[in-house]
Amino acid sequence: MTLDRRDLIGQGVAHLVLVIYTVIALFPIVLVLLNSIKNRKAIFGAPLAPPTPETFTLSGFQTVLTQGDFTLYFGNSLIVTLVALFLILLLGAMAAFALAEYQFPGNTLVGLFMALGIMIPIRLGTVGILEMMVRLGLANTLTALVLVYAAQGLPLAIFILSEFMRGVSKDLKDAGRIDGLSEYTIFFRIVLPLMRPPMATVAVFTMIPVWNDLWFPLILAPGEATKTITLGAQMFVGQFVTDWNAVLAALSLAIIPVLLLYLVFSRQLIRGITSGAVK
């Protein structure tokens, strides 16, 4: 067997594995979307079958849009996610730039301390976080969620971005300093534009757990005015009766922003991941 043929077989096996993984990953999403437009009997009788004219219904979406305030929940989730992402990307990039660019006593120790945040789940400090938010008067506010999610996402952002920061040409930054640019100008005008692929990677990896989180909205912001979309979907789940059409419809609507984010940043995401693999 020639080397070229072995390479072709290896590539074929790799692509087959990726296709199988993609099908497995997309299967739950497709299942939710299909069953969100089927009646209750079809959901339980034939969950894997596509909707037919007899089983097709939009009653779940009608329930979601008429009962409660789904628009408010959606807006709350959008505000919390976007503001948290902005803080994570900005502060994470600035911290990564400082760790990668400047050598100071404890530089490595600070980097390791930041990396600990990846290994230690933030939910272990839920009681302390709740007490702190109550003392600060931030309980039952979107600000509490933004601060918690920003703290949750910063360790991963700093860890990923600092590696890419070290790969930015030092000559490029020194040329800016020779031209009289300040460190802030070098960061925002020279370094930051080169960090779009890794920042897109961080944004996608950070947005999904923030958007899908139920734990902290339930504990820190359970009020009607501060409910997020995941918490709002729980109103259709009862102890004895559950409106599965509405639950699946709410989940389908919640999936849309994540899919749009991936479609918008897919090219940057792939570039960021492959660059990291090469490093």
Side-chain angles (χ1 to χ4, degrees):
M1 184 180 295
T2 63
L3 183 60
D4 292 341
R5 189 175 179 183
R6 289 179 180 176
D7 291 341
L8 289 175
I9 293 176
Q11 291 178 8
V13 172
H15 282 84
L16 179 62
V17 172
L18 291 174
V19 168
I20 293 174
Y21 176 79
T22 301
V23 171
I24 294 174
L26 292 178
F27 179 75
I29 298 176
V30 174
L31 196 63
V32 169
L33 295 176
L34 284 178
N35 285 283
S36 67
I37 53 176
K38 291 160 57 176
N39 58 39
R40 183 182 179 88
K41 182 178 180 181
I43 291 174
F44 290 97
L48 300 180
T52 63
E54 292 76 20
T55 61
F56 178 82
T57 179
L58 295 177
S59 61
F61 291 93
Q62 294 173 353
T63 302
V64 168
L65 296 176
T66 56
Q67 293 186 13
D69 198 342
F70 184 82
T71 305
L72 175 64
Y73 307 153
F74 190 92
N76 289 339
S77 289
L78 199 60
I79 291 171
V80 169
T81 303
L82 291 179
V83 176
L85 275 180
F86 174 78
L87 293 176
I88 290 170
L89 293 177
L90 177 62
L91 299 179
M94 295 178 73
F97 179 76
L99 290 174
E101 185 68 15
Y102 309 123
Q103 297 299 322
F104 54 87
N107 180 296
T108 304
L109 186 62
V110 172
L112 292 175
F113 178 76
M114 293 294 181
L116 286 176
I118 303 174
M119 298 177 282
I120 302 176
I122 193 172
R123 293 182 181 180
L124 293 178
T126 299
V127 175
I129 292 172
L130 178 59
E131 291 177 349
M132 180 176 62
M133 294 302 174
V134 171
R135 287 199 300 268
L136 294 175
L138 296 177
N140 219 21
T141 65
L142 297 182
T143 303
L145 296 179
V146 169
L147 293 176
V148 169
Y149 291 140
Q152 174 182 289
L154 274 174
L156 180 62
I158 295 172
F159 179 77
I160 294 176
L161 295 178
S162 60
E163 294 299 319
F164 284 89
M165 288 288 183
R166 294 186 179 95
V168 177
S169 173
K170 184 173 178 61
D171 294 337
L172 193 62
K173 293 177 285 188
D174 290 340
R177 295 187 179 99
I178 292 173
D179 290 338
L181 300 180
S182 66
E183 292 299 307
Y184 286 102
T185 305
I186 292 173
F187 172 74
F188 284 106
R189 291 189 179 181
I190 298 177
V191 176
L192 210 57
L194 299 175
M195 301 299 296
R196 284 180 295 180
M199 290 184 73
T201 303
V202 171
V204 173
F205 287 153
T206 304
M207 176 190 174
I208 294 175
V210 171
W211 183 267
N212 293 337
D213 187 44
L214 176 64
W215 181 264
F216 284 114
L218 183 63
I219 294 174
L220 299 179
E224 186 65 24
T226 56
K227 280 185 179 179
T228 59
I229 192 170
T230 51
L231 190 58
Q234 298 300 306
M235 66 181 294
F236 304 111
V237 179
Q239 182 178 1
F240 302 105
V241 179
T242 298
D243 189 344
W244 289 108
N245 292 93
V247 171
L248 293 174
L251 294 177
S252 298
L253 294 173
I255 291 172
I256 294 175
V258 178
L259 293 179
L260 291 177
L261 180 76
Y262 176 77
L263 292 175
V264 171
F265 293 106
S266 58
R267 181 174 299 179
Q268 301 289 344
L269 174 63
I270 294 171
R271 286 178 56 190
I273 293 175
T274 53
S275 297
V278 172
K279 289 178 181 296

